[in-house]
Amino acid sequence: MDETETNISNKSSRKLSCICSFVDKVKKFPGLARRATWTVGKEDPRKVVHSLKVGIALTLVSLLYLLEPLFKGIGKNAMWAVMTVVVVMEFTAGATLCKGLNRGLGTLLAGSLAFLIEYVADAPGRIFRAVFIGVAVFMLGAMTTYVRFIPYIKKNYDYGVLIFLLTFNLITVSSYRVDSVWDIARDRIATIAIGCGLCLVMSLLVFPNWSGEDLHNNTISNLEGLASSIEVCVMEYFNDLATPATQDESSEDPIYEGYKAVLDSKASNETLALQASWEPRYSRFCHKIPWHQYARVGAALRHFCYTVVALHGCLQSEIQTPKSICALYKDSCIRVGEEVSKVLRELAKSIRNNHQFSPETLSNNLKEALQDLDNALKSKPQLVLGSRNGRTPNTPVQVVPHQDQKLEEETRTSFSSVKNDSFSSRACKSKEHSRETPKKVLRPQLSKTAIISLEFSEALPFAAFTSLLVEMVAKLDLVMDEVEELGQMAHFREFKDEEIVVACEKPKINISQNDLPSYGGE
């Protein structure tokens, strides 16, 4: 009896706690909603303007249904105009043009073909008409669906093909039972045209948001973000080598924020480039802006960004090179990082100001920085000789027990063999060792001691860091080539010798993202 009462009391307490939690969430909801609404509008005021534009467009198109003279001319088909505005109105002008023209062209072609099918099927008789309509629906449905699998069609005209298939079936099948189907089709085409036209006017003429402008700004922001990431990463490596390996990548980390935006930009760049290709925007010499080249620049940046990610991983490595060795090459490495950052900022400046840059000058500065690093490595052999010639007096030397002397000698020859022995020792540890050392297993500890005692292993992390710097310079050539090609295709202003090549300022990173759904990248 007591257990039953206890269970009942526990269930009651759980229900009461759930109710209290729900009430607390309801009380906090207005404040959370208010803060979320304010944050979205503050981050991008264009979203507020777009919301107002959609509201105005819906109000105007609703007059077709609300005003008596307009309703008598169009009738119940006026609701198609409202549906068109809801579906077609997008955040940017390019996305609206893509969907609006696809919808209008698909509707027009489907209506024309449906009229032709009806004209051919109307002559012989009702039975032949039904068979002919069925065969036409089957063939058009199968062929249209198959066409949607073609990559080019799926990328550019998938929405238009879908509207074509829907409209054709509605008109063709309805014509068999409804006598006034042609009037209905005419009114629907007219209302859809009204809705698309209103969307295009609101998107192109009333505070337009251009997809090309977003793509242009995102490319600049990614270049500057990578420049800041590289600069901060190199400085932190030499100023604070004791970074814990378990440090989480947070949104406050400038290194992580800089390259994360580049790695996440593939889908958005491709979508923006596709939408921008629909926009009627040209350069100052009336040349079509090569938006697809912006996407290629983004792809080159992502390829370059992988090295930056690996460079950031050197900061969180468990094994770090002593500061006494790193200090010998600090100035040379920092100069290489600064030169790479300056080149990225100069590329961003070139795209922002629509002028070409000097590849020779930038390459010469990079070559000089690399030559200084190479000279420093050759003149100071501590990195190659390890702790024998480069160890400071304060650096302790680990003593290896006699039974593992052979292991130490082998690890002096091959660092990879030490790792293999470490992994095999963990798999083959005995019960006797586990009883003698209840907290830690002896052999992995001895393997770790052998790794620390290696003369050359202390320099391996820094050797990896310097090799990544050199690899970064090599991959930077691809980014420079793509930006140079962009300047030629977009007819940027030619570079002049009196122009400043290297920008010293560090612009603030401002990565704006559009969270609204947009057709074209699907």
Side-chain angles (χ1 to χ4, degrees):
M1 191 69 179
D2 294 338
E3 293 180 358
T4 304
E5 293 177 356
T6 303
N7 293 333
I8 294 174
S9 63
N10 292 336
K11 291 181 180 180
S12 301
S13 61
R14 285 196 297 269
K15 290 181 180 179
L16 183 61
S17 62
C18 292
I19 294 173
C20 293
S21 176
F22 178 76
V23 172
D24 291 339
K25 291 181 180 179
V26 172
K27 291 181 179 179
K28 294 179 180 179
F29 179 76
L32 294 175
R34 183 171 58 253
R35 285 193 295 271
T37 303
W38 176 260
T39 302
V40 171
K42 186 178 180 180
E43 290 178 352
D44 192 355
R46 298 181 304 168
K47 296 178 181 179
V48 180
V49 177
H50 175 72
S51 302
L52 297 176
K53 288 165 59 177
V54 173
I56 294 173
L58 288 174
T59 303
L60 293 177
V61 79
S62 298
L63 297 178
L64 297 175
Y65 210 87
L66 299 177
L67 296 180
E68 189 69 22
L70 297 177
F71 179 76
K72 289 182 179 179
I74 298 178
K76 297 180 180 180
N77 292 296
M79 193 56 63
W80 282 84
V82 179
M83 295 173 59
T84 301
V85 171
V86 173
V87 173
V88 172
M89 194 75 174
E90 291 286 346
F91 182 75
T92 61
T96 304
L97 277 167
C98 181
K99 294 193 71 173
L101 295 181
N102 269 278
R103 186 178 181 88
L105 185 62
T107 302
L108 183 62
L109 291 178
S112 302
L113 186 58
F115 286 147
L116 179 62
I117 295 296
E118 176 64 17
Y119 178 78
V120 173
D122 191 36
R126 193 169 182 84
I127 297 177
F128 175 80
R129 181 182 178 186
V131 174
F132 187 80
I133 290 176
V135 173
V137 168
F138 169 77
M139 293 183 62
L140 264 296
M143 289 189 297
T144 304
T145 304
Y146 184 78
V147 166
R148 292 181 64 191
F149 291 111
I150 300 176
Y152 180 78
I153 299 296
K154 186 173 185 63
K155 181 180 179 181
N156 295 276
Y157 304 104
D158 185 69
Y159 183 71
V161 175
L162 183 64
I163 294 299
F164 168 82
L165 182 60
L166 175 64
T167 305
F168 175 79
N169 280 274
L170 286 176
I171 296 176
T172 304
V173 176
S174 299
S175 64
Y176 187 76
R177 296 291 181 182
V178 181
D179 296 334
S180 60
V181 68
W182 307 123
D183 297 334
I184 297 174
R186 185 190 65 244
D187 293 340
R188 287 185 179 180
I189 293 175
T191 52
I192 290 175
I194 293 173
C196 291
L198 182 59
C199 290
L200 296 180
V201 169
M202 295 297 295
S203 296
L204 297 175
L205 302 180
V206 182
F207 300 104
N209 300 320
W210 303 105
S211 299
E213 184 177 349
D214 288 346
L215 179 60
H216 180 83
N217 294 333
N218 286 347
T219 304
I220 297 173
S221 179
N222 290 338
L223 285 166
E224 294 175 346
L226 274 182
S228 299
S229 295
I230 295 170
E231 205 165 37
V232 175
C233 184
V234 175
M235 294 301 297
E236 284 191 3
Y237 184 82
F238 289 99
N239 294 336
D240 186 15
L241 291 174
T243 303
T246 58
Q247 182 181 359
D248 294 333
E249 294 176 341
S250 63
S251 59
E252 299 178 356
D253 187 357
I255 305 175
Y256 177 68
E257 279 297 306
Y259 65 74
K260 178 180 180 296
V262 179
L263 294 178
D264 295 342
S265 64
K266 184 178 186 298
S268 61
N269 284 354
E270 292 179 353
T271 301
L272 290 174
L274 175 62
Q275 295 171 358
S277 63
W278 290 83
E279 295 175 350
R281 301 188 69 195
Y282 297 87
S283 62
R284 62 193 183 102
F285 296 110
C286 297
H287 296 289
K288 185 68 175 178
I289 301 177
W291 299 116
H292 65 279
Q293 184 62 27
Y294 278 88
R296 295 188 61 180
V297 172
L301 272 180
R302 285 189 298 273
H303 184 68
F304 172 81
C305 186
Y306 300 141
T307 310
V308 183
V309 177
L311 197 71
H312 188 203
C314 294
L315 272 69
Q316 302 177 350
S317 176
E318 292 186 1
I319 304 174
Q320 294 290 347
T321 302
K323 293 184 178 180
S324 59
I325 297 180
C326 293
L328 301 174
Y329 315 97
K330 177 180 178 180
D331 295 336
S332 301
C333 291
I334 289 179
R335 183 184 177 187
V336 173
E338 288 178 349
E339 289 299 331
V340 173
S341 300
K342 288 178 182 178
V343 170
L344 291 174
R345 289 197 175 98
E346 176 60 24
L347 297 181
K349 179 183 176 182
S350 171
I351 297 176
R352 179 189 289 109
N353 298 331
N354 295 328
H355 71 75
Q356 300 181 15
F357 61 95
S358 174
E360 294 79 10
T361 305
L362 298 181
S363 299
N364 291 336
N365 294 336
L366 285 174
K367 290 179 181 178
E368 291 177 1
L370 284 178
Q371 188 64 39
D372 289 346
L373 179 59
D374 184 64
N375 294 336
L377 293 175
K378 291 180 179 178
S379 62
K380 299 172 184 178
Q382 284 83 351
L383 180 62
V384 179
L385 298 181
S387 59
R388 180 164 47 191
N389 293 333
R391 185 185 298 278
T392 58
N394 297 328
T395 306
V397 179
Q398 300 291 339
V399 179
V400 182
H402 180 69
Q403 64 267 22
D404 290 298
Q405 187 67 28
K406 183 177 179 180
L407 175 62
E408 181 186 5
E409 293 176 355
E410 291 176 355
T411 52
R412 289 179 183 273
T413 306
S414 174
F415 179 77
S416 60
S417 63
V418 174
K419 295 177 64 178
N420 295 332
D421 292 339
S422 175
F423 294 144
S424 61
S425 63
R426 291 173 184 169
C428 301
K429 59 184 178 180
S430 61
K431 295 182 180 179
E432 181 180 355
H433 283 198
S434 64
R435 288 195 301 267
E436 292 176 358
T437 57
K439 293 184 178 180
K440 289 186 177 181
V441 181
L442 179 59
R443 186 162 296 277
Q445 181 63 32
L446 293 178
S447 298
K448 185 175 182 180
T449 304
I451 293 174
I452 297 175
S453 65
L454 286 177
E455 297 174 355
F456 185 65
S457 64
E458 292 180 341
L460 286 179
F462 183 73
F465 184 83
T466 54
S467 65
L468 287 173
L469 284 177
V470 177
E471 180 69 17
M472 185 181 298
V473 175
K475 289 186 177 181
L476 186 59
D477 288 339
L478 178 61
V479 181
M480 294 174 62
D481 292 341
E482 295 295 343
V483 176
E484 185 180 9
E485 186 175 355
L486 173 63
Q488 295 174 358
M489 297 176 65
H491 298 274
F492 286 171
R493 296 190 303 272
E494 293 185 359
F495 173 78
K496 297 180 180 179
D497 294 336
E498 61 268 14
E499 291 182 355
I500 299 176
V501 177
V502 177
C504 298
E505 70 273 5
K506 300 177 184 179
K508 183 179 180 182
I509 302 174
N510 184 14
I511 302 173
S512 59
Q513 294 180 353
N514 176 18
D515 297 330
L516 289 177
S518 172
Y519 181 83
E522 299 175 359

